[in-house]
Amino acid sequence: MKYLLLKHYRGNPAPVVDYPPMDQWTPAEVDAHMGYMHDFAARLERTGEFIDGQALAPDGAYVRYDGEGRPPVVDGPFPETKDLIAGWMVIDVDSWDRAVELAGELSAAPGPGGKPIHEWLEVRPFLAAPPTVTE
Amino acid sequence: MNESALRELIPAVIGVLVRRGADFASAEDAVQEALIRALQTWPDRPPADPKGWLVTAAWRKFLDQLRSESSRREREAAVTLEPPVGPSQTADDTLQLYFLCAHPSLPPASAVALTLRAVGGLTTRQIAAAYLVPEATMAQRISRAKRRLAGARLDQPGEFATVLRVLYLVFNEGYSGDVDLATEAIRLTRQVATLTDEPEVAGLLALMLLHHARRASRTGPDGRLVPLSAQDRSRWDTALIAEGVQILQAALARDRLGEYQAQAAIAALHADARTAAETDWVQIVEWYDELVRLTGNPLARLNRAVAVGGADGPRAGLAELARLDPTLPRYVAAAAYLHEQAGDLHLAAELYVQAARAAASVAERDHLTRQAARVRQLITA
């Protein structure tokens, strides 16, 4: 079963640990945080559970169709948008419980002072292919 | 020699290496490497004796592996003597490989991957593509599974139930890639069926054949799901149905009923109806009773409730449904269907929408959304 672990810049439930943005951490703290993420992905590859991990730049734009023969409308970025996706990891695991366990571990990435930042991650199941035998 | 004939040889070749003293994990690795070389070189230079070629190539790979691990020099001395292969025990070896790959200590996804590689003779790349997983991840999943089996021997008795579970998973997970997993599952189950007369093995083979017979009619041209009641029955494969029914009858005659035989019996009754209206729901309910008795599976109870709706009317089906846990997967979809049959169109439309939101696959979600739209149109008409 594949799950998406989604990390948001904005739109999360209230944070449980108050910490400054990463640009105010010490370089060593930033390294420790990045290293933790990297090691986590490498470990999941070894357990045969890693599918993909990507980070997104915060800037982008909204695009939509604007009628035949006209260029698409490009709008934004909208600073007031409530939700902003920072990146994701896709895992392939045996159960929802395992997905939650792994998301919990990823959320323990260290922040200032090497303490876990307890950040919220959204866990969403992929829609799979339909089974053959249903009746 | 085509690729599937080549793959047929893989379990026997692993068996030979293990009999010569190789441990399962190393033997399996060596044979996989020999297989990849065979796939590259055979199209141009086909060998006179394919199995002999694979054994020789794999044995060399195995010795190379040993030599590259200096700490194992003593073991090398023991195995390079090449003990005689002994009398052919290919059939036993193959069956033992099935047991090992489906070992109960392995998580299901690992057992599936290992079975497809060591018994199915697929490459890691093919298995990864079939399950939409990166090749590196699949390689790790397989080697981790083999590490977990370290020390496991090929001559220990195994359980058919675990093997059948793995084959069922391969068949039922409808992923589609270059490798046709349903066909592969049928090929492997056929192979197991030639090695044993366990009625449940035959039951699973019959179940697969009966479902596979409907494959062409199960999806529309745009990939949409076509439910059993709406399928074009003239497109069902009558030869596969006949074979499935024959295998099932022989299995049932042995009088050792199991869950796969019961499921196959249900599939056979559906296959037997020339139109959806002619479905023998009374007999189907009886088989669901057996299935529930055998497994206690809540999903079997859910399907039984739908069958009761067919046999005794939708209200009776709804009464059965009311006794079940409403959080079961497809519970709401079943309720929507039965309410529509009972004429509660408004409720049915709402339930189809709810069911679509809870669907576990895109095809089911889209199907249920279409059902909701269809019922809403009935209401306005």
Side-chain angles (χ1 to χ4, degrees):
Chain A
M1 284 160 272
K2 296 195 181 75
Y3 292 90
L4 176 69
L5 312 186
L6 203 53
K7 179 173 167 149
H8 301 254
Y9 285 121
R10 286 200 299 266
N12 291 315
V16 291
V17 175
D18 199 21
Y19 58 88
M22 201 179 279
D23 56 76
Q24 293 169 32
W25 301 2
T26 68
E29 286 166 349
V30 173
D31 286 348
H33 184 85
M34 302 303 184
Y36 184 95
M37 297 293 182
H38 181 266
D39 292 349
F40 182 83
R43 185 157 58 83
L44 285 202
E45 189 162 291
R46 284 196 301 277
T47 59
E49 295 173 311
F50 179 80
I51 302 292
D52 184 33
Q54 298 290 337
L56 297 176
D59 292 338
Y62 279 81
V63 178
R64 68 166 173 81
Y65 179 62
D66 198 37
E68 192 59 46
R70 300 164 66 124
V73 172
V74 180
D75 212 348
F78 300 104
E80 75 279 12
T81 306
K82 270 190 277 175
D83 190 6
L84 189 61
I85 292 165
W88 66 76
M89 194 172 283
V90 178
I91 57 175
D92 187 14
V93 293
D94 278 320
S95 65
W96 164 258
D97 289 346
R98 175 65 176 158
V100 168
E101 182 187 350
L102 289 175
E105 286 177 28
L106 187 56
S107 159
K115 294 199 189 78
I117 56 175
H118 297 258
E119 73 179 328
W120 287 104
L121 295 172
E122 190 180 359
V123 183
R124 302 271 300 272
F126 272 50
L127 289 177
T132 307
V133 182
T134 52
E135 81 264 1
Chain B
M1 174 178 244
N2 64 29
E3 192 189 314
S4 77
L6 164 59
R7 292 202 274 116
E8 295 271 349
L9 298 171
I10 297 305
V13 176
I14 294 174
V16 170
L17 262 66
V18 170
R19 281 188 187 280
R20 283 185 179 176
D23 61 289
F24 166 68
S26 310
E28 205 279 329
D29 268 339
V31 173
Q32 172 85 183
E33 286 194 37
L35 168 70
I36 288 169
R37 251 193 69 206
L39 289 169
Q40 288 164 351
T41 60
W42 286 15
D44 300 329
R45 278 170 288 134
D49 172 12
K51 185 176 167 187
W53 188 100
L54 281 171
V55 168
T56 306
W59 186 249
R60 267 192 216 127
K61 290 277 179 202
F62 169 67
L63 293 181
D64 288 349
Q65 283 170 20
L66 276 193
R67 288 191 191 103
S68 67
E69 296 169 44
S70 54
S71 64
R72 296 196 185 174
R73 286 212 186 279
E74 287 173 22
R75 250 171 80 198
E76 179 185 351
V79 291
T80 42
L81 298 173
E82 291 206 27
V85 176
S88 173
Q89 304 198 35
T90 298
D92 288 350
D93 284 347
T94 301
L95 201 50
Q96 292 300 332
L97 275 182
Y98 275 98
F99 289 137
L100 194 61
C101 293
H103 200 273
S105 68
L106 297 178
S110 302
V112 161
L114 194 55
T115 297
L116 288 173
R117 203 172 106 143
V119 211
L122 292 172
T123 63
T124 302
R125 180 189 294 261
Q126 288 172 313
I127 302 165
Y131 286 96
L132 310 175
V133 164
E135 190 177 349
T137 295
M138 190 52 84
Q140 290 293 342
R141 193 179 287 177
I142 290 167
S143 56
R144 194 178 166 86
K146 291 200 297 187
R147 277 203 300 281
R148 222 181 249 220
L149 295 177
R153 292 164 42 152
L154 264 189
D155 56 359
Q156 285 159 343
E159 272 190 54
F160 279 103
T162 56
V163 173
L164 296 182
R165 185 79 213 145
V166 166
L167 295 174
Y168 181 83
L169 281 176
V170 174
F171 180 77
N172 203 30
E173 281 185 26
Y175 290 103
S176 51
D178 285 345
V179 178
D180 183 341
L181 289 176
T183 305
E184 183 61 14
I186 289 173
R187 181 179 80 78
L188 295 177
T189 310
R190 272 191 201 283
Q191 188 177 50
V192 180
T194 62
L195 302 173
T196 171
D197 54 5
E198 272 293 312
E200 274 293 84
V201 176
L204 179 61
L205 179 57
L207 173 68
M208 288 178 177
L209 295 175
L210 289 162
H211 278 275
H212 204 59
R214 296 190 219 140
R215 175 139 99 161
S217 64
R218 207 160 43 217
T219 45
D222 51 0
R224 72 167 63 180
L225 219 58
V226 182
L228 186 53
S229 60
Q231 286 174 14
D232 175 359
R233 295 180 183 224
S234 70
R235 298 179 69 199
W236 289 0
D237 186 329
T238 49
L240 277 186
I241 290 173
E243 190 193 356
V245 168
Q246 195 190 7
I247 291 170
L248 173 64
Q249 280 170 341
L252 290 174
R254 302 177 65 89
D255 210 19
R256 278 164 53 209
L257 188 61
E259 58 176 309
Y260 295 114
Q261 293 168 77
Q263 284 193 69
I266 292 163
L269 284 164
H270 282 300
D272 199 36
R274 279 181 307 159
T275 64
E278 284 174 58
T279 307
D280 187 345
W281 287 110
V282 174
Q283 267 210 75
I284 289 176
V285 171
E286 286 171 11
W287 280 110
Y288 273 122
D289 287 338
E290 293 286 0
L291 194 56
V292 168
R293 183 181 61 77
L294 287 163
T295 65
N297 186 330
L299 286 176
R301 290 180 204 274
L302 183 74
N303 286 331
R304 183 184 170 280
V306 175
V308 168
D312 301 330
R315 297 279 169 216
L318 285 165
E320 288 296 322
L321 202 61
R323 296 164 53 193
L324 305 179
D325 176 2
T327 64
L328 279 174
R330 298 204 183 86
Y331 179 97
V332 182
Y337 171 77
L338 290 168
H339 277 292
E340 184 192 344
Q341 301 290 308
D344 315 329
L345 296 189
H346 287 277
L347 182 53
E350 263 174 53
L351 289 171
Y352 277 130
V353 174
Q354 251 187 60
R357 213 174 295 138
S361 75
V362 176
E364 280 172 274
R365 183 194 64 192
D366 294 352
H367 170 68
L368 291 163
T369 305
R370 265 187 222 104
Q371 298 291 81
R374 184 183 49 76
V375 173
R376 291 233 154 99
Q377 226 168 27
L378 286 178
I379 294 171
T380 48

